[in-house]
Amino acid sequence: MKIQQIDVWQKDLPIAGPAYKMALQTLTALDTTLVRITTDSGLQGWGEVCPLGPAYQPQHAAGARAAIGEIAPHLLGENPLLAEQVNQRMHQALCGSLYAKSAIDMACWDLAGKAYNARVCDLLGGAAREVIPSYYAIGLSSPEQAAEVAVKKQAEGFRRLQLKVGGRTLEEDIACVRKVAENLQPGTALAVDANRGLNVNDAIQLSAACQDIRFIFEQPCQTYEQCLHLRGKLHHPLWLDEVIEDINSLLRAVRDNAAEGFGMKQSRIGGISQMRTAREICAVAGLPMTCDDSWGGDLVAASCVHLGATVSASLFAGTWIAAPYIDEHYDQQHPVTLTQGALQLPQGAGLGVTPDSVRLGAPAMTFCL
Ligand SMILES: [Mg+2]
């Protein structure tokens, strides 16, 4: 089997409801990139990468397409069933840009599933569960507003909440954590996520001020070294997210005993193939993980659900998807949706989601043999 054609689409994913506010940007739509690989046998596989705007991390949408444009000509004629070889070819063609490569890697896994008539989760070792717990991220807001969302989302079925902090006074953050904690039902887990927004001093003080509250403290500070500085000084388990940029940084964090868990984002570390490796490393180290991505439509969501399904129950902390914020699905018959705080594994071979290419319109780029 040979890759005969690679099509690349740009698409704006509109955000449902009010604009999505972050420390450095306000977003009303996300620029996503879809990739379709077509083989000489006619089989097709789909992939997607959707950075969270241009200011959240070094990854950005136009960069993804530029990188795919650089890589794609080198992949024509390759066997997409050999994902490892395809990844090697990608690394030979372009240094870095793991996020761009993740879309092609995803398309190869989707295609392999269709070729072998198996779901991606089955190719990854098999699903430990068919229904995947998700979690809800409560944005930066007042203590009362955050508590209101916490109550509402628990009523909808979420059993894990993530509360954003940082970018304001320490007192406001502490008040918000306390108010949300007061409104937690038994069995609801809480993650307090600063997305790198706290300095070392404030991270230590926030943990000390809330030491009677049970939560995990996610990516409090900007750099790996700052987070490492916190070891032994916190009253809460420390998780790393944004600073785990690839398998090497994950290995370093495990070696340094730098974290009690990881928020893993598939596109940041290079896709499904790399997430499989990360899953094994976390399992050997006995460290829990999430299977997420920064943003994305049905393809990214399906990929995260397939990955999440394969992580053992004792080490799996949930899969976040952007679906509640998006007004649109690529596959009207098989959308990936949240029900009562959980995600059903897509059925059907591969990812189980096939975008309607007619609705996508003309590709932005096409490469063919
Ligand atoms: Mg996070």
Side-chain angles (χ1 to χ4, degrees):
M1 190 181 290
K2 285 182 184 172
I3 296 177
Q4 191 161 55
Q5 184 167 323
I6 299 175
D7 297 295
V8 183
W9 283 267
Q10 184 279 330
K11 179 163 177 52
D12 287 328
L13 275 178
I15 289 175
Y20 191 79
K21 285 187 185 172
M22 303 174 70
L24 296 176
Q25 55 187 357
T26 299
L27 303 165
T28 55
L30 270 298
D31 181 343
T32 194
T33 299
L34 282 78
V35 175
R36 184 180 66 188
I37 290 176
T38 303
T39 66
D40 55 351
S41 70
L43 272 182
Q44 295 184 323
W46 287 85
E48 180 183 16
V49 58
C50 183
L52 182 48
Y56 168 60
Q57 290 227 272
Q59 299 84 4
H60 69 112
R65 290 188 288 278
I68 291 168
E70 189 73 35
I71 295 165
H74 299 272
L75 302 181
L76 298 173
E78 294 290 321
N79 184 345
L81 301 182
L82 307 178
E84 293 298 323
Q85 281 189 29
V86 171
N87 272 284
Q88 287 305 317
R89 290 292 296 137
M90 290 200 284
H91 297 323
Q92 287 165 359
L94 183 72
C95 184
S97 296
L98 297 179
Y99 66 114
K101 294 168 182 171
S102 76
I104 292 170
D105 181 71
M106 188 191 297
C108 288
W109 281 93
D110 184 38
L111 214 151
K114 287 165 178 161
Y116 298 126
N117 193 27
R119 301 179 299 179
V120 167
C121 60
D122 298 322
L123 297 180
L124 290 168
R129 67 195 72 80
E130 293 292 316
V131 178
I132 315 300
S134 186
Y135 63 93
Y136 192 83
I138 305 173
L140 277 182
S141 48
S142 71
E144 291 71 27
Q145 287 170 327
E148 196 178 310
V149 175
V151 169
K152 183 165 177 267
K153 293 300 162 186
Q154 288 176 98
E156 289 176 15
F158 285 93
R159 284 294 163 264
R160 185 173 194 259
L161 298 174
Q162 185 193 65
L163 177 66
K164 300 295 186 186
V165 297
R168 55 187 177 183
T169 69
L170 185 58
E171 286 66 32
E172 287 174 296
D173 279 340
I174 293 168
C176 207
V177 173
R178 291 212 155 276
K179 192 72 181 171
V180 167
E182 283 170 19
N183 288 277
L184 289 185
Q185 297 169 6
T188 302
L190 179 65
V192 173
D193 186 4
N195 293 106
R196 301 169 293 169
L198 296 174
N199 64 43
V200 170
N201 184 69
D202 285 354
I204 292 170
Q205 294 208 55
L206 190 150
S207 180
C210 300
Q211 59 183 286
D212 56 315
I213 301 170
R214 185 171 155 189
F215 63 79
I216 64 130
F217 204 177
E218 186 171 329
Q219 192 67 51
C221 301
Q222 181 75 25
T223 67
Y224 179 75
E225 288 73 18
Q226 290 167 5
C227 292
L228 203 54
H229 185 102
L230 299 175
R231 302 303 287 158
K233 300 182 177 73
L234 298 179
H235 299 268
H236 299 90
L238 175 67
W239 282 44
L240 295 177
D241 181 340
E242 281 87 350
V243 295
I244 303 301
E245 296 174 328
D246 52 22
I247 293 297
N248 274 323
S249 53
L250 176 63
L251 282 173
R252 180 171 66 146
V254 171
R255 181 200 64 199
D256 293 347
N257 195 22
E260 276 85 30
F262 298 98
M264 296 300 301
K265 295 196 168 60
Q266 60 169 6
S267 63
R268 193 169 60 219
I269 69 165
I272 293 172
S273 296
Q274 303 302 316
M275 282 292 278
R276 178 182 56 176
T277 304
R279 178 193 68 186
E280 299 307 309
I281 291 170
C282 286
V284 170
L287 294 166
M289 65 187 287
T290 63
C291 292
D292 306 322
D293 212 336
S294 50
W295 203 274
D298 287 323
L299 291 164
V300 164
S303 174
C304 292
V305 175
H306 280 285
L307 282 161
T310 67
V311 180
S312 69
S314 63
L315 295 177
F316 184 56
T319 283
W320 178 92
I321 66 166
Y325 301 93
I326 300 173
D327 245 345
E328 193 173 323
H329 291 288
Y330 303 145
D331 184 335
Q332 304 302 321
Q333 267 76 50
H334 309 97
V336 182
T337 53
L338 267 163
T339 307
Q340 296 184 317
L343 297 152
Q344 177 75 44
L345 250 175
Q347 299 303 305
L351 292 170
V353 167
T354 303
D356 180 349
S357 58
V358 175
R359 290 187 65 193
L360 289 174
M365 295 186 281
T366 292
F367 306 86
C368 50
L369 275 177

